């Protein structure tokens, strides 16, 4: 969204963004303004897919003799969304800036054992343990961000490396469950509104709203898109590229820490393998890409990511209701990822407008025709 | 056109590719300073360190067995190299290995006559998986990370579903001999494992491939797919073949692993990341276009030597991932600098020594492979 806003002034300098519209070719218009042409943007497409998946789930659940929209089932779906959702929001930030974070599962595991170990089952320890945990996550994110931003290590490698370092630490020092969550935190995991919307989901929505505001209305957010689009161009345009990269990684790790606290509120104990068992690294990246964010960075939105997470949660839920073999679930997930991304991967690629001949008579006439048709 | 007069015709054209200048020794020395060459030095240093702790390790029979043990990961790393140098990722490698292992276990059983058909079937499955990965990446324009993640989940899930997640099937010993056995009574090394022969054959084939037009095209494609496409390369087919090579390498690694590890759907778990680590350790740049095939294999050996070193030092094996993580971060941070130093003449400092004008440069002959 911000990418489109950033593009339009750049196309024809010296004119107002609306003036050159008739001279744009059809392709250029589609690429630059997916929302105005009447075509489907990837965000609306992902929600259409979501509606389709929900419709199919309702039917399949009904065949099993159960109601998809029952209180308990909606609660289950929304709870399942909350943890992966928080991680995926962080992952969105990192991917937008052109990096990747493969360390989230290990950060999540580490955060649960550290938080549970700090709480020792006492409410009085909750604030300190929470702050400690999130601070540690922020520190991990900071190291990763500095590796990516200052030393120019590829995000894939930096986060894979940090993840391995953390997993080695976890494997050496923690065997089995560790610590005990405070009762207040466990209460939070069970609380909700009217037995339908869990508090965890509200936390997810608040985080999504805050990050969306950050991306749309702050300088940092715009810089994230600019750097993800093209780091060199952003730097030469006067953007300091280190700070947004580091900030994205810190926010991603902190959001993973929050997700770990939510997990802890449900499990009650810290588990050193909970993150890698959940495969949050690959699933969160898949959810982000499913949500229409370009893996190369520079284009995407948190709203789309939430849609992607919702698709996974609904699929998991209906497969659980149908008692699908857990190994077959992976098979279905894999198929869905590839098929769903294949459906709209072609349109979400921002094509550079043709440099020569794009504004010829044919292009102009097509452009005006379509504008007339749309109006 | 005014620039034509302002730039004198110095013999500076050769400076763009310093690796093509000088005698063989000079070129080797310069090559050793690039990340692709440095990994050979790293492997040698690690080897010396391991032998210093445990002198038995240096005995030829021991050493050849170590090489045989490392062959599967080295082969997988070379397969991953093709994909990475073309600018993509292949995360499906571990799942392909698991699939092949399970196919071998269940299709062959105790029937000797099925060994050859099974090999054909496995190679076919590998080629098809690679084809799917490649076509998904190139024609559907889905990022390779996502396509191969999808095939990884789908294949891994299917294999676990079909086997129930437990070890099933037991291929005949003749099939297992491929990974386990060797030619007996060889002088000096006692046994020459088949896996070493396969490794050497694949290395030789790979070097030949990277020197062929296909190899040149794959590096050009990884460096800049648009430019390669405009120059006439069929980018989609080049990349698809890279994915097929990767899956076929995973298949060969799987065949070898049947001999060592037995039939279990979790064989090969994590192989994709280990192969990527080895490739990156070999100085191959993620994003494509830079790096040598043999460096990827050397990266695999360096990694295994490092693990042996830690074993002999009696470091707890749970620290292995930590060491691996630190190593790859350091390797990549160093490589990012060294490639630009090795390849590009610095603009600020004047050329230290004038290029020998008599040496005929062979443009484009020495960039892909040492």
């Amino acid at each position: 969204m911000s990418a489109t806003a950033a593009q339009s002034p750049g196309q024809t300098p010296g004119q107002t963004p609306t003036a050159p519209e008739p001279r744009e070719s059809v392709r250029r218009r589609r690429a630059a303004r997916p929302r105005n042409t009447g075509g489907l943007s990837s965000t609306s497409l992902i929600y259409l897919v979501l509606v389709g998946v929900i419709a199919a789930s309702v039917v399949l659940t009904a065949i099993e003799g159960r109601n998809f929209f029952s209180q308990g089932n909606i609660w289950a779906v929304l709870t399942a969304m909350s943890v992966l959702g928080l991680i995926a929001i962080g992952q969105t930030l990192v991917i937008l800036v052109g990096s990747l974070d493969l360390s989230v599962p290990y950060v999540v595991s580490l955060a649960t054992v550290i938080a549970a170990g700090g709480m020792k089952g006492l409410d009085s320890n909750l604030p300190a343990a929470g702050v400690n945990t999130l601070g540690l996550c922020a520190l991990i994110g900071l190291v990763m961000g500095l590796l990516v931003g200052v030393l120019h290590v590829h995000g894939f490698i930096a986060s894979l490396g940090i993840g391995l370092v953390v997993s080695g630490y976890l494997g050496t020092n923690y065997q089995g469950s560790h610590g005990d969550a405070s009762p207040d935190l466990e209460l939070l995991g069970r609380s909700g509104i009217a037995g339908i919307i869990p508090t965890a989901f509200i936390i997810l929505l608040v985080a999504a709203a805050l990050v969306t505001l950050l991306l749309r209305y702050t300088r940092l957010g715009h810089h994230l898109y600019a750097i993800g689009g093209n780091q060199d161009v952003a730097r030469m345009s006067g953007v300091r590229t280190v700070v947004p990269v580091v900030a994205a990684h810190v926010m991603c790790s902190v959001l993973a820490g929050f997700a770990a606290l939510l997990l802890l509120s449900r499990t009650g104990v810290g588990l050193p393998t909970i993150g890698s068992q959940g495969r949050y690294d690959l699933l969160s990246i898949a959810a982000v890409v499913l949500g229409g964010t370009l893996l190369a960075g520079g284009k995407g939105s948190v709203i789309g990511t939430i849609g992607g997470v919702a698709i996974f949660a609904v699929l998991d839920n209906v497969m659980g209701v149908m008692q699908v073999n857990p190994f077959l679930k992976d098979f279905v997930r894999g198929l869905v990822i590839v098929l769903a991304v294949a459906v709209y991967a072609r349109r979400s690629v921002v094509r550079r407008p043709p440099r020569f001949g794009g504004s010829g008579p044919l292009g102009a006439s097509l452009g005006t025709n379509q504008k007339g048709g749309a109006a | 056109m005014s620039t034509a007069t302002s730039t004198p015709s110095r013999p500076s054209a050769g400076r763009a590719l310093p690796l093509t200048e000088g005698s063989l020794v000079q070129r080797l020395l310069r090559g050793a300073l690039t990340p692709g060459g440095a990994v050979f030095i790293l492997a040698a240093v690690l080897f010396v360190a391991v032998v210093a702790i445990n002198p038995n390790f240096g005995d030829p029979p021991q050493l050849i067995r170590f090489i045989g043990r490392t062959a599967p990961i080295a082969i997988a790393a070379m397969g991953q190299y093709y994909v990475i140098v073309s600018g993509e990722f292949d995360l499906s490698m571990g799942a392909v290995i698991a699939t092949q292992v399970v196919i071998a276990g269940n299709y062959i059983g105790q029937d000797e006559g099925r060994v050859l058909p099974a090999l054909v079937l496995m190679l076919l499955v590998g080629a098809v998986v690679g084809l799917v990965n490649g076509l998904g990446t190139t024609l559907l324009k889905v990022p390779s990370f996502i396509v191969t993640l999808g095939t990884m989940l789908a294949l891994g899930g299917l294999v676990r579903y079909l086997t129930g997640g437990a070890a099933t099937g037991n291929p005949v010993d003749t099939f297992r001999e491929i990974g386990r056995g060797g030619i007996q009574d060889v002088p000096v090394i006692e046994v020459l494992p088949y896996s070493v022969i396969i490794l050497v054959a694949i290395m030789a084939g790979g070097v030949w491939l990277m020197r062929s037009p296909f190899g040149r095209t794959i590096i050009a494609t990884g460096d800049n797919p648009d430019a390669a496409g405009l120059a006439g390369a069929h980018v989609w087919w080049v990349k698809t073949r890279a994915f097929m090579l990767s899956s076929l390498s995973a298949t060969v690694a799987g065949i070898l692993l049947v001999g060592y590890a037995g039939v279990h759907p979790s064989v090969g778990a994590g192989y994709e990341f280990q192969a990527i680590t080895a490739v990156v350790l070999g100085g191959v740049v993620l994003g494509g276009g830079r790096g040598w095939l043999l460096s990827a294999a050397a990266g695999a050996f360096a990694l295994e030597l490092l693990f042996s070193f830690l074993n002999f030092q009696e470091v707890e094996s749970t620290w292995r991932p930590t060491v691996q993580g630190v190593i790859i971060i350091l390797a990549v941070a160093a490589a990012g600098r060294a490639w630009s130093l090795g390849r590009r003449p610095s603009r600020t400092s004047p050329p230290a020594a004038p290029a020998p004008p008599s040496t005929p440069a062979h443009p484009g002959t020495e960039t892909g492979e040492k």
Side-chain angles (χ1 to χ4, degrees):
Chain A
M1 261 122 277
S2 291
T4 66
Q7 258 191 4
S8 44
Q11 284 166 355
T12 45
Q15 296 183 42
T16 54
T18 48
E21 257 194 2
R23 287 200 291 130
E24 283 177 337
S25 69
V26 179
R27 197 179 177 194
R28 193 167 179 177
R29 284 164 52 93
R30 282 208 186 126
R33 303 166 181 271
R35 296 206 139 187
N36 300 345
T37 49
L40 287 170
S41 72
S42 48
T43 308
S44 45
L45 200 66
I46 195 70
Y47 278 91
L48 267 182
V49 173
L50 175 60
V51 169
V53 169
I54 290 178
S57 306
V58 169
V59 174
L60 288 172
T61 317
I63 291 172
E64 291 286 315
R66 289 168 66 177
N67 181 9
F68 181 79
F69 291 109
S70 70
Q71 213 179 23
N73 205 38
I74 291 188
W75 176 281
V77 171
L78 295 184
T79 309
M81 273 182 70
S82 53
V83 171
L84 183 60
L86 275 177
I87 296 171
I89 291 174
Q91 193 74 258
T92 310
L93 287 169
V94 175
I95 289 181
L96 274 181
V97 82
S99 184
L100 263 184
D101 193 344
L102 296 175
S103 71
V104 275
Y106 306 107
V107 172
V108 165
S109 305
L110 182 70
T112 61
V113 289
I114 297 287
M119 285 175 197
K120 298 192 185 81
L122 295 172
D123 282 338
S124 52
N125 290 336
L126 177 59
V131 169
N132 274 347
T133 308
L134 296 179
L136 181 68
C137 291
L139 190 70
I140 294 173
L142 182 72
V143 173
M144 219 158 9
L146 290 176
L147 282 174
V148 175
V150 179
L151 291 181
H152 299 290
V153 179
H154 197 291
F156 184 97
I157 292 299
S159 60
L160 181 65
I162 295 282
L164 287 171
V165 169
V166 174
S167 89
Y169 173 78
L170 280 172
T172 312
N173 292 313
Y174 298 95
Q175 275 89 29
S177 60
H178 179 79
D180 191 4
S182 79
D184 272 358
L185 190 67
E186 292 184 39
L187 192 64
L188 181 94
R190 289 194 298 270
S191 66
I193 298 174
I196 294 180
I197 304 172
T199 315
F201 185 69
I202 296 170
I203 294 175
L204 170 67
L205 286 187
V206 170
L210 286 178
V211 173
T212 303
L213 290 177
L214 170 91
L215 286 177
R216 288 204 178 171
Y217 298 111
T218 66
R219 181 195 304 216
L220 178 65
H222 292 187
H223 285 182
L224 286 177
Y225 280 104
I227 294 168
N230 190 327
Q231 182 158 7
D232 293 331
V233 171
R235 199 187 68 246
M236 285 184 250
S237 311
V239 175
R240 289 182 194 280
T241 55
V242 175
V243 174
V245 171
V246 173
H249 274 284
V250 169
M251 281 190 280
C252 179
S253 293
V254 169
L255 281 167
F258 272 110
L261 290 180
L262 287 186
L263 269 177
L264 185 59
S265 76
R266 273 190 265 150
T267 58
V269 288
L271 296 166
T273 56
I274 193 164
S276 34
Q277 276 170 1
R279 291 208 262 182
Y280 290 119
D281 46 354
L282 299 176
L283 286 184
S284 65
I285 292 170
V288 169
V289 175
L290 207 56
T293 299
L294 278 190
L295 196 56
K299 182 172 182 293
S301 67
V302 170
I303 302 168
T305 299
I306 299 294
V309 171
I311 290 177
F312 276 138
V314 172
L315 270 180
D316 267 6
N317 179 268
V318 74
M319 286 193 287
V321 169
M322 292 174 69
Q323 293 178 335
V324 175
N325 181 302
F327 298 133
L328 208 54
K329 276 187 188 176
D330 266 351
F331 179 68
V332 175
R333 261 189 220 141
L335 278 188
V336 167
I337 292 172
V338 173
L339 290 180
V341 175
V343 166
Y344 62 80
R346 283 161 164 277
R347 26 174 106 214
S348 65
V349 172
V350 182
R351 288 166 198 280
R352 194 175 297 161
R355 206 170 282 176
F356 303 108
S359 54
L362 185 64
S365 66
L366 280 175
T368 44
N369 276 353
Q370 201 191 344
K371 199 188 181 190
Chain B
M1 311 316 109
S2 62
T3 51
T5 53
S6 64
T7 49
S9 55
R10 275 184 305 175
S12 60
R15 305 281 330 153
L17 285 173
L19 285 177
T20 61
E21 287 172 11
S23 68
L24 183 66
V25 178
Q26 280 176 307
R27 289 214 307 263
L28 279 179
L29 275 177
R30 258 197 306 264
L33 292 178
T34 61
V39 70
F40 290 97
I41 298 174
L42 177 69
V45 168
L46 281 167
F47 176 70
V48 171
V50 173
V51 171
I53 302 176
N54 183 2
N56 287 335
F57 191 83
D59 292 346
Q62 283 262 6
L63 191 61
I64 206 81
R65 268 189 217 111
F66 168 78
I67 295 174
R69 264 203 317 278
T70 315
I73 185 68
I75 290 170
M78 284 192 283
Q80 186 74 248
Y81 163 83
Y82 295 113
V83 175
I84 286 184
V85 91
S86 76
E88 308 287 347
F89 285 110
D90 187 358
L91 298 183
S92 67
M93 219 164 215
V96 171
I97 291 176
T99 311
Q100 305 292 10
V101 166
V102 168
I103 288 179
N106 291 294
Y107 177 72
I108 300 178
Q110 293 302 317
D111 188 351
E112 295 247 354
R114 283 191 173 181
V115 170
L116 275 182
L119 283 176
V120 174
L121 175 73
M122 289 160 80
L123 290 174
L124 210 62
V125 169
V128 168
V129 173
L131 192 68
V132 169
N133 283 339
L135 293 184
T137 305
T138 52
L139 295 190
L140 295 181
K141 304 244 189 301
V142 181
S144 58
F145 193 93
I146 297 298
V147 181
T148 54
L149 171 64
T151 32
M152 167 187 162
L153 288 176
L155 270 184
L158 198 63
V159 165
R160 270 159 211 256
Y161 169 67
L162 292 177
T163 59
T168 51
N170 183 18
V172 284
D173 282 344
T174 44
F175 187 80
R176 289 189 175 231
E177 278 295 300
I178 301 174
R180 196 182 271 174
I183 300 169
Q184 304 291 334
D185 299 329
V186 178
V188 185
I189 51 175
E190 294 173 15
V191 178
L192 180 60
Y194 295 126
S195 53
V196 174
I197 301 173
I198 294 173
L199 174 68
V200 170
I202 287 181
M203 276 179 168
V207 169
W208 171 78
L209 198 62
M210 290 314 289
R211 282 171 168 270
S212 72
F214 168 71
R216 307 289 185 212
T217 316
I218 208 171
I219 288 187
T221 305
D223 202 19
N224 189 337
D226 293 338
L230 288 174
H234 298 286
V235 171
W236 71 273
W237 181 226
V238 169
K239 286 197 174 183
T240 303
R241 276 188 286 176
F243 277 105
M244 289 170 75
L245 283 171
S246 169
S247 293
L248 286 174
S249 303
T251 305
V252 175
I255 292 171
L256 296 183
L257 278 174
V258 172
Y260 281 108
V263 179
H264 195 273
S266 71
V267 170
Y271 248 65
E272 59 278 346
F273 283 118
Q274 214 166 341
I276 292 175
T277 305
V279 170
V280 165
L281 198 60
V284 181
V285 174
L286 288 181
R290 293 271 161 88
W292 297 326
L293 176 79
L294 291 184
S295 306
F301 277 100
L303 206 58
E304 286 297 318
L305 279 170
L306 183 76
F307 290 149
S308 303
F309 179 73
L310 294 177
N311 267 350
F312 289 131
Q313 288 280 32
E314 290 172 8
V315 175
E316 276 182 86
S317 66
T318 45
W319 281 115
R320 264 172 89 155
T322 301
V323 175
Q324 198 181 344
V326 172
I327 290 277
I328 60 170
I329 290 177
L330 289 181
V332 173
R337 282 160 199 252
W339 270 123
S340 51
L341 288 179
R343 281 286 174 114
R344 234 174 272 159
S346 69
R347 291 194 187 147
T348 48
S349 64
S358 62
T359 314
H362 303 288
T365 51
E366 298 294 332
T367 49
E369 193 57 53
K370 229 165 49 113

